[in-house]
Amino acid sequence: MSNMIMKTPASIDELVMCLKQSDDNTYLLSGGTDLIIKLRNSKIYEGTLIDLTGIDDLKQIKYNAEYIKIGAAATFNQITSNTMLIKHAKCLVQASSQIGSTQIRNAATLGGNIANAFAGADAIPALIALDAMVTILKSDKTTYTKPIDEIIKGSRKNTLYKDEAIIEISIPIANDNCISAFAKLGSRSRVTISKLNIAATAQVKDGTIEAVKIVLGALGTKAFRALSVEKAIENKDISEALYTAFENELVKQVDEAIPNRSSLGYKREAIRGLAEDVYFDLFGSMVRKVKCHD
Amino acid sequence: MILDFNVNGRDYSIEADARARLIDVLREDLGLTGTKEGCGEGECGACTVIIDGLAVNSCLVMAHQTRGKRILTVESLKQDGELDSLQKSFINNGAVQCGYCTPGMLMSCKALLMRNPNPTEHEIREAIEGNLCRCTGYVKIINAVKEVVKESKAPSEEDHHE
Amino acid sequence: MTNKLKYVGKSVPMHDVMDKVTGEIKYVGDMKLPNMLYAKLLLSDIAHGVIKSIDISKAQALKGVVKIYTYENTPSTSYNSHIWYDGLKAIEDEYLFSKQVRFYGDRIAAVAAEDKETAERAISLIKVEYEKLPHIISPLEAKENPEYRITSKEIKSGEPENIIQTAEIVVETALKTQKVHHAAMETHICLANKELDGTVTIWTPCQVAFQVQLVVCTALGLPKDKVRAIKAAMGGSFGGKGQPVLEPVCAYMAYDLGKPVKLYMDRTECIIATRTRTATIGNVSTAVDAEGNILARDIKMLVDAGAYMTNGEAVALAMGKKAFRLYKIQNQRYTAEVVYTNTPIGGACRGYGSPQIHALTEINIDAAARRLGMDPVKLRLKNLFQPYDKDSIGGPALGNARVIQCVEKGMEVFNWKEKRERPKAIGRYVRGVGMACATHGNGYYGAYQDYITMSLMMNEKGEIILNSGIHDLGCGTVTTMKQIVSEVFDIPLDKVTAVEGDTFKSPFDSAGTQASRVTFVCGACALKAAEQTRAKLVHYASRILGCAEEQVVLENGMIYASDQPDKKQAYGDMVTSIQKTLSEKVEVSCTYESPANPASYAVNFVEAEVDTMTGMVRILEVLAVHDIGKAINPGFVEGQIQGAIQMGIGFALSEEISVDSGGIVKETNLGKYHIVNAPDMPDVKVMLIEEGEEHGPYGAKSVGEVSTVAIAPAIINAISNAVDIDITALPATPERVLEAIKRKNIISEVRQ
């Protein structure tokens, strides 16, 4: 028998009560797909687990005129089948459908993925590209909301205090011109940890790219916006030449992100494959695909 | 800590450690050893069970997270002495060798068919993407599922096509 | 075999498949004995050093901990887990527990506790202080260090050196092959108990029960009549459970405590601390003439045994011999150097060296064809062995070697010429086709003792019990034996029971389930035992029936005299009469010694697609053609081949156990160690050439190992065909493929 306790709040109010008693040995348990491995590998036999999956409110995906609101304990399986998300947050749906296996997607949650802050996480670049906001509940029952990028500090590090819990992720509903895409590269075609991933959102008006966001993951300790890449294609007309600029700028971005890593040699080349995947996924219908390699 | 849940149609109320995973409780406390552990990290799928209709790795779920839920393990497939059509098809298609991945493989396939009785080959492959098998190369497993799908289609529907 | 076969050649289900689909089968992990203790190992977290101190006080204080074992309180008899029969000599460098740490994963301690969690927890509380020593992880470095050099081997025919020196065309290939994890879904586990009479009983998913007994006896200093090894349900092995890893430790704890002890490993432990496919660094030089005749070949292999000897020497020899059994090469030399490194231990792994050497030589054959501008199939057809050709170093006869037929039929079915000549796509995804040939053996004849004893008995109900030390590893061995026996007696399979290895109950088997010997050797023994028992039944029946032996007819479970077809009686009734009237039993015990070791052949054709931007390779299609002699159970054979292709794709593209500069294993779980999953697995078409082999039962020969040999070089050849690159190390990861493409592009730019 371990010296572990599990608390099973059924409502936000009960969760607040649990958070009030949080200490350094308190772990928020959501889908469990990362935490349970950690408890075992790190030989953690003492402490308190707070199970978030019993709170119905946290498992809903709702929307209003401005936001799609994803409960922190909604699973990736729920995300991939949600029609609102398919319409307004394609890159998140694409990323979610490529996370782990069927079994993992049935358990793992968006809130858990954010809190875990893994550098190679697939959902996080998509959320950054979508300007997602994260709502956090404090033990005094108040909440605050921050952009996703500000929650994640680095590899396996987030800004949450012990007595706080992510409860909701809000994705602004952009206009109908907004498009998005996600692509990843791992060691297998499926069930694989990203060596590289990329999420992009853009608005296209009369063949011109506007308001573009390009986010790279699995390069360094946290996903980041590739500003120079965005600059290279923003307010430009979609064309093959632009694709080349996009690709080359991405290579530069990889060079800058991981100058001393042994994986640089591969990643700076392979990013071209992802560049093609994402560019043509986004703008494919607007550009003739004739790129050759011979 | 008491855990109330339903496994294979039977209600249980048992004492379970807070740190116990679902697989631990199934195997150690309920004696349902059909569910296997092959990696303990959700990579091999040998521990797959169905929770409220969804395939899940029982090594990555805490036992107490399944309170109030309905769990199906491989032991549930045979009903009143009759094998499930998937089990029969696995036998007929030679989809079983050492048998260690088989329970998890069956439960992943079962979960698929429960939600989608008419999956494509692509969907079958994706449903078992998290179930590793070293013996069969998956070929006969995929064939076995395809056969169940084919046979479950109403004969009239088949006739219309032919 | 002109008679129509009724049971042999049929794809009947495996004997225990019902227990497997219902989850009712009990693997060792599912077994529980009263008062059973659970045990875990502490493995070293450094690659090389000496233990200065072990502090077990905190672990010992944990409630539920029964006893902690280290080198300080256990026997220090050295042994070699590879030794499978008395009299086999090999360097004995293993111990129950180490003081000298030789790799990351070496056994330091074990805890026996009342429950799993306590055992696991106690392990984390043991504190070990090491004096670190410099470690060697590179076999090339090890070769230069006398303490790491083990032995060298040479096999030679003719004068290859001179020919290679003077030949106009010499094609050289270098290839590094990696350590591979067997990745059986069941991790290593063992259960042992001390009986009241002092006997230690061991239940283990093993390949050679008599080897378990022998190794445990050696390590523990116990007589053989006090150690009983029972083969338990096997959740996959592929060679990984061939050498006893946990058994000696588990048996010692049970012996010492007088209680049942279950010792189990998790996946990480299984990857780093059991056995791996032996890594190699190979170089080959092949002299060919302009017409594509192979004039001479020189193969050099550096064999990395890892931290302990185990089968390092045996595998080096085994792989060398294969080079002389595929192509007619009169002048050929194979040399091997075997070294230790401070890395995970090498051992038996499906193919036993064949995948490594064939990867090298079959990639080289394609390179030679490229040099000559010749279709690689044509080059092979010119040089492959014909049926009944002789092994060029005087090894066992090749027998009815049908590799050429495999190539020719395969070419046709695969549509080789059209696919090969198809213009290459211009763009990101480029497809290519490749093929490779391979050979493997059928047992130990010519190398080690190879015989088995079986006893077969028909009872008063007409049921048959075949008692022998066989081991079903999930491949269908039991059913295969039953099919053979059923065929002889013309009775349904459910009337035949074939039991598995138990060193106290099974007649002796000299080698167990290894070396691709089971169907060919053990199956032949089952056939012999069945035929002898049948003859006995016929003999006694003729006396009961009052007819000549030639007149006795056995048909579908009924026996009668040919001139009295209306007086049929069931076998069981006849057995009852024989017992009653003649006081005889219809029972035979017979020993069968294998008289041959013919070659089995596999030819694989592959279509692959290379993503030239990411280096990812996708296998689109595989055709595996096998010279199988005769498939006793075609469904099993297909299953073997399809699974072997899965393993071979991993060997070619993604699977690798590697260590960092500190000797620490990098791929410690299945998230990092990538075996092929369903979305990436191609359809595998299987084609069997069944031309019969003289000494095989019903003409059968092996398939289990040869099936995983040709696939990796076929894939590498397909990649080369697609994008014209040289792969010099396996696995051909996206990183390596992309680097090779880049290198080629730089070279071609320089040339332009």
Side-chain angles (χ1 to χ4, degrees):
Chain A
M1 280 281 170
S2 68
N3 302 319
M4 209 134 220
I5 297 165
M6 184 181 289
K7 294 184 176 174
T8 56
S11 65
I12 296 287
D13 285 344
E14 287 181 25
L15 174 59
V16 167
M17 296 308 291
C18 298
L19 290 174
K20 279 190 201 300
Q21 293 159 20
S22 281
D23 60 21
D24 283 346
N25 295 322
T26 300
Y27 306 90
L28 292 178
L29 172 64
S30 194
T33 52
D34 288 308
L35 181 63
I36 294 173
I37 297 173
K38 182 184 159 180
L39 289 177
R40 293 172 59 79
N41 287 351
S42 307
K43 316 271 179 199
I44 297 167
Y45 295 97
E46 283 171 30
T48 304
L49 294 168
I50 303 174
D51 178 24
L52 302 174
T53 62
I55 305 170
D56 262 349
D57 272 354
L58 299 189
K59 294 196 280 193
Q60 310 297 323
I61 302 176
K62 299 173 187 161
Y63 63 95
N64 57 28
E66 290 165 77
Y67 289 100
I68 304 172
K69 293 166 174 282
I70 306 171
T75 64
F76 290 110
N77 174 39
Q78 279 176 272
I79 289 169
T80 55
S81 55
N82 183 281
T83 48
M84 279 301 281
L85 289 169
I86 291 169
K87 188 171 174 210
H88 295 287
K90 187 179 123 194
C91 63
L92 178 63
V93 172
Q94 286 175 321
S96 301
S97 71
Q98 294 179 64
I99 291 171
S101 61
T102 304
Q103 294 96 313
I104 298 282
R105 292 191 299 279
N106 283 338
T109 64
L110 189 60
N113 201 248
I114 295 168
N116 193 44
F118 173 51
D122 290 324
I124 291 170
L127 290 173
I128 295 175
L130 290 165
D131 284 331
M133 302 294 286
V134 180
T135 303
I136 290 155
L137 174 72
K138 295 165 63 162
S139 61
D140 62 4
K141 215 184 161 180
T142 62
T143 63
Y144 65 94
T145 299
K146 266 186 173 183
I148 168 86
D149 195 35
E150 289 177 27
I151 302 289
I152 292 159
K153 261 183 14 195
S155 176
R156 309 277 185 200
K157 283 186 198 128
N158 61 44
T159 60
L160 266 69
Y161 289 99
K162 267 289 154 194
D163 64 339
E164 297 181 338
I166 297 172
I167 54 168
E168 192 170 81
I169 298 92
S170 307
I171 294 170
I173 298 176
N175 64 48
D176 286 349
N177 293 333
C178 193
I179 51 177
S180 73
F182 171 88
K184 75 184 266 189
L185 183 64
S187 300
R188 285 190 293 223
S189 62
R190 295 198 54 88
V191 196
T192 183
I193 293 166
S194 286
K195 292 176 187 172
L196 274 175
N197 59 25
I198 176 168
T201 57
Q203 295 192 28
V204 180
K205 213 172 163 189
D206 304 328
T208 304
I209 301 169
E210 295 176 356
V212 65
K213 284 203 187 63
I214 308 289
V215 184
L216 293 172
L219 285 169
T221 58
K222 64 174 272 192
F224 61 92
R225 273 179 67 182
L227 296 173
S228 66
V229 182
E230 293 174 5
K231 210 176 142 199
I233 63 168
E234 196 157 43
N235 300 319
K236 303 260 167 64
D237 290 347
I238 294 162
S239 67
E240 284 169 43
L242 188 65
Y243 168 70
T244 310
F246 176 68
E247 184 185 307
N248 290 338
E249 208 55 52
L250 273 169
V251 174
K252 270 194 223 163
Q253 196 75 70
V254 174
D255 288 343
E256 282 169 26
I258 50 166
N260 303 316
R261 293 277 181 88
S262 59
S263 59
L264 173 65
Y266 175 70
K267 289 188 176 182
R268 71 185 306 280
E269 292 296 325
I271 191 80
R272 293 177 194 274
L274 288 191
E276 190 178 297
D277 292 343
V278 159
Y279 191 85
F280 290 98
D281 187 358
L282 283 172
F283 312 121
S285 55
M286 294 166 250
V287 63
R288 204 162 47 90
K289 183 176 172 180
V290 288
K291 194 162 161 46
C292 301
H293 299 269
D294 48 356
Chain B
M1 196 173 172
I2 297 292
L3 168 62
D4 294 302
F5 62 168
N6 182 291
V7 181
N8 299 338
R10 196 175 142 191
D11 288 327
Y12 288 90
S13 183
I14 59 162
E15 175 67 35
D17 193 313
R19 197 176 178 274
R21 303 164 302 166
L22 177 58
I23 189 171
D24 302 326
V25 168
L26 291 174
R27 290 179 52 84
E28 308 290 333
D29 298 310
L30 304 189
L32 296 170
T33 54
T35 303
K36 301 293 181 236
E37 183 161 1
C39 71
E41 55 182 19
E43 290 287 343
C44 80
C47 68
T48 304
V49 299
I50 297 175
I51 304 179
D52 285 352
L54 295 172
V56 170
N57 295 308
S58 63
C59 76
L60 292 186
V61 179
M62 286 302 196
H64 283 281
Q65 288 187 287
T66 65
R67 62 194 178 279
K69 294 190 188 289
R70 302 185 74 83
I71 293 150
L72 296 176
T73 70
V74 69
E75 286 89 349
S76 72
L77 293 179
K78 192 171 152 187
Q79 292 281 340
D80 305 322
E82 173 88 5
L83 292 184
D84 186 271
S85 55
L86 269 170
Q87 290 172 309
K88 286 182 199 164
S89 190
F90 267 53
I91 294 175
N92 295 337
N93 283 279
V96 179
Q97 287 189 34
C98 85
Y100 205 82
C101 79
T102 306
M105 202 61 92
L106 281 166
M107 296 319 281
S108 280
C109 296
K110 185 72 186 170
L112 168 71
L113 296 182
M114 281 161 66
R115 296 169 71 81
N116 176 7
N118 197 11
T120 61
E121 176 168 337
H122 178 81
E123 287 168 331
I124 295 169
R125 285 178 185 266
E126 209 166 287
I128 58 166
E129 65 187 0
N131 293 81
L132 299 178
C133 169
R134 192 55 139 180
C135 296
T136 65
Y138 313 101
V139 181
K140 289 176 187 289
I141 293 170
I142 293 162
N143 288 345
V145 182
K146 278 158 89 176
E147 195 179 284
V148 172
V149 172
K150 203 175 146 198
E151 283 175 3
S152 71
K153 278 186 194 166
S156 57
E157 193 185 324
E158 287 278 285
D159 293 343
H160 285 302
H161 290 296
E162 280 161 25
Chain C
M1 297 303 146
T2 48
N3 292 345
K4 205 160 173 278
L5 297 169
K6 198 165 161 186
Y7 299 100
V8 163
K10 302 288 188 293
S11 298
V12 297
M14 209 168 280
H15 74 291
D16 55 0
V17 72
M18 193 66 82
D19 307 332
K20 286 173 176 169
V21 297
T22 54
E24 280 165 20
I25 185 170
K26 297 289 175 224
Y27 300 90
V28 172
D30 308 325
M31 293 168 69
K32 248 182 198 171
L33 294 178
N35 303 315
M36 185 174 82
L37 302 174
Y38 295 85
K40 284 299 285 179
L41 295 174
L42 174 67
L43 305 175
S44 78
D45 55 7
I46 64 162
H48 194 199
V50 182
I51 295 172
K52 277 162 67 180
S53 68
I54 305 180
D55 179 3
I56 60 167
S57 55
K58 272 193 180 157
Q60 190 75 71
L62 200 64
K63 189 172 167 286
V65 168
V66 176
K67 190 163 176 180
I68 297 171
Y69 297 87
T70 67
Y71 76 92
E72 287 171 332
N73 60 353
T74 52
S76 58
T77 315
S78 62
Y79 64 94
N80 182 330
S81 56
H82 146 79
I83 294 177
W84 73 87
Y85 64 87
D86 272 302
L88 178 61
K89 295 277 176 259
I91 296 172
E92 295 178 329
D93 53 13
E94 295 168 60
Y95 298 90
L96 287 182
F97 295 97
S98 306
K99 184 181 186 195
Q100 294 275 342
V101 173
R102 296 164 69 141
F103 76 113
Y104 174 81
D106 217 339
R107 270 197 307 270
I108 306 300
V111 173
E114 283 165 10
D115 60 85
K116 279 183 168 184
E117 192 170 283
T118 306
E120 288 167 24
R121 214 167 160 175
I123 285 295
S124 66
L125 295 175
I126 299 174
K127 294 282 163 276
V128 186
E129 237 190 295
Y130 299 100
E131 182 192 329
K132 280 198 186 180
L133 294 169
H135 57 269
I136 293 183
I137 57 170
S138 156
L140 291 167
E141 200 184 320
K143 200 172 78 161
E144 307 305 323
N145 186 324
E147 281 180 34
Y148 284 76
R149 259 194 323 259
I150 303 174
T151 183
S152 51
K153 297 279 159 204
E154 184 182 90
I155 309 172
K156 189 171 148 180
S157 70
E159 290 300 326
E161 302 95 321
N162 301 341
I163 297 169
I164 288 170
Q165 258 182 10
T166 56
E168 264 181 52
I169 311 168
V170 177
V171 183
E172 290 175 1
T173 299
L175 186 76
K176 215 176 143 200
T177 73
Q178 75 279 30
K179 289 182 197 288
V180 165
H181 174 48
H182 302 79
M185 285 303 106
E186 176 197 42
T187 50
H188 280 56
I189 189 159
C190 180
L191 170 63
N193 190 22
K194 191 178 185 183
E195 313 290 349
L196 289 174
D197 68 356
T199 301
V200 181
T201 306
I202 303 159
W203 292 266
T204 168
C206 65
Q207 294 187 206
V208 195
F210 288 103
Q211 179 178 1
V212 172
Q213 183 189 39
L214 175 60
V215 169
V216 169
C217 287
T218 307
L220 273 55
L222 290 174
K224 276 193 168 180
D225 64 0
K226 286 286 175 243
V227 176
R228 176 180 179 188
I230 299 172
K231 186 263 169 189
M234 167 65 82
S237 182
F238 317 101
K241 292 167 186 155
Q243 298 172 3
V245 175
L246 299 182
E247 290 89 336
V249 179
C250 187
Y252 183 74
M253 289 189 280
Y255 177 77
D256 180 59
L257 294 168
K259 279 187 175 178
V261 177
K262 187 192 279 186
L263 177 60
Y264 61 101
M265 276 183 159
D266 64 20
R267 179 60 57 184
T268 299
E269 293 164 332
C270 196
I271 292 173
I272 65 175
T274 59
R275 299 291 180 266
T276 64
R277 179 179 297 292
T278 309
T280 61
I281 297 175
N283 287 278
V284 56
S285 306
T286 305
V288 287
D289 67 17
E291 281 72 50
N293 298 300
I294 301 173
L295 306 174
R297 188 160 77 171
D298 192 13
I299 304 168
K300 294 190 176 84
M301 275 287 192
L302 179 55
V303 176
D304 178 2
Y308 290 95
M309 178 65 183
T310 73
N311 64 344
E313 188 172 353
V315 81
L317 259 183
M319 72 171 83
K321 289 178 185 174
K322 304 299 180 292
F324 296 82
R325 293 171 73 81
L326 186 56
Y327 298 104
K328 285 172 280 187
I329 306 174
Q330 294 307 318
N331 297 284
Q332 179 165 226
R333 183 175 70 165
Y334 166 82
T335 48
E337 283 185 86
V338 187
V339 296
Y340 286 121
T341 53
N342 298 111
T343 65
I345 308 166
C349 184
R350 196 177 204 171
Y352 212 84
S354 281
Q356 294 95 311
I357 196 161
H358 281 89
L360 173 69
T361 54
E362 284 297 280
I363 292 170
N364 177 250
I365 294 282
D366 257 48
R370 259 210 312 275
R371 175 82 74 83
L372 296 172
M374 188 182 264
D375 184 340
V377 168
K378 196 175 160 198
L379 192 150
R380 285 183 172 87
L381 284 171
K382 264 182 185 274
N383 295 281
L384 285 166
F385 275 124
Q386 305 270 357
Y388 305 105
D389 274 348
K390 299 249 178 315
D391 176 310
S392 39
I393 44 167
L398 299 175
N400 193 4
R402 294 286 178 163
V403 60
I404 289 175
Q405 204 175 335
C406 290
V407 173
E408 287 172 343
K409 286 262 159 116
M411 251 177 106
E412 221 176 280
V413 171
F414 187 75
N415 217 349
W416 169 262
K417 280 215 163 110
E418 195 192 308
K419 282 183 175 147
R420 184 83 182 180
E421 284 160 16
R422 188 180 52 198
K424 293 280 162 281
I426 296 176
R428 176 170 173 180
Y429 299 98
V430 186
R431 292 181 176 191
V433 291
M435 57 89 66
C437 303
T439 183
H440 202 73
N442 280 268
Y444 280 129
Y445 173 82
Y448 305 100
Q449 59 186 34
D450 195 354
Y451 63 93
I452 179 167
T453 302
M454 290 186 171
S455 74
L456 196 145
M457 179 266 283
M458 182 178 273
N459 68 20
E460 305 81 354
K461 300 289 179 205
E463 300 147 348
I464 288 174
I465 294 171
L466 177 70
N467 184 21
S468 70
I470 54 171
H471 311 69
D472 198 318
L473 308 186
C475 319
T477 294
V478 165
T479 307
T480 302
M481 299 300 147
K482 285 169 60 159
Q483 285 178 269
I484 291 170
V485 172
S486 282
E487 192 66 53
V488 172
F489 284 93
D490 193 7
I491 52 168
L493 256 67
D494 61 11
K495 295 271 187 197
V496 181
T497 299
V499 298
E500 299 184 63
D502 174 339
T503 58
F504 274 18
K505 290 185 175 171
S506 306
F508 186 65
D509 174 26
S510 69
T513 297
Q514 43 178 354
S516 285
R517 70 186 279 271
V518 175
T519 301
F520 186 74
V521 180
C522 307
C525 185
L527 178 62
K528 182 179 171 185
E531 283 173 342
Q532 286 186 0
T533 312
R534 187 186 196 278
K536 214 167 186 176
L537 176 64
V538 167
H539 171 71
Y540 296 137
S542 70
R543 287 168 62 185
I544 303 270
L545 295 169
C547 67
E549 285 184 18
E550 298 72 44
Q551 285 181 291
V552 177
V553 180
L554 273 67
E555 194 181 84
N556 203 16
M558 305 300 280
I559 191 164
Y560 60 94
S562 57
D563 58 354
Q564 290 182 301
D566 53 326
K567 287 190 179 168
K568 289 181 182 170
Q569 52 180 308
Y571 292 168
D573 294 338
M574 178 58 74
V575 171
T576 307
S577 302
I578 291 167
Q579 290 179 192
K580 200 171 156 193
T581 25
L582 305 176
S583 293
E584 293 285 358
K585 281 220 74 176
V586 182
E587 184 173 0
V588 154
S589 173
C590 80
T591 298
Y592 175 84
E593 186 182 6
S594 178
N597 189 349
S600 288
Y601 293 94
V603 179
N604 286 180
F605 294 84
V606 168
E607 179 164 22
E609 183 179 80
V610 182
D611 179 344
T612 56
M613 295 187 94
T614 64
M616 296 276 278
V617 176
R618 192 167 175 78
I619 307 302
L620 303 170
E621 189 189 343
V622 175
L623 171 69
V625 194
H626 277 255
D627 170 25
I628 179 99
K630 168 76 188 171
I632 304 286
N633 185 317
F636 292 174
V637 171
E638 273 178 26
Q640 281 294 293
I641 294 167
Q642 289 160 343
I645 296 296
Q646 190 267 6
M647 202 166 175
I649 295 173
F651 183 52
L653 297 179
S654 63
E655 296 185 30
E656 177 169 27
I657 300 176
S658 65
V659 297
D660 67 14
S661 59
I664 310 300
V665 173
K666 291 197 250 178
E667 299 81 8
T668 50
N669 57 41
L670 293 177
K672 293 175 189 153
Y673 186 92
H674 297 286
I675 90 166
V676 178
N677 58 7
D680 282 352
M681 184 68 195
D683 191 25
V684 180
K685 292 191 182 66
V686 173
M687 224 178 119
L688 304 179
I689 305 295
E690 298 184 279
E691 294 289 344
E693 183 61 54
E694 188 189 350
H695 296 287
Y698 297 95
K701 54 184 174 181
S702 71
V703 68
E705 293 186 272
V706 71
S707 45
T708 203
V709 181
I711 181 66
I715 288 171
I716 301 303
N717 290 341
I719 295 173
S720 293
N721 176 244
V723 290
D724 189 26
I725 55 170
D726 290 321
I727 294 294
T728 55
L730 296 186
T733 55
E735 284 83 353
R736 284 180 178 140
V737 170
L738 206 57
E739 201 189 316
I741 291 174
K742 222 172 98 186
R743 208 164 44 225
K744 184 196 79 172
N745 289 343
I746 290 167
I747 292 167
S748 61
E749 272 168 34
V750 168
R751 280 189 187 147
Q752 280 162 16

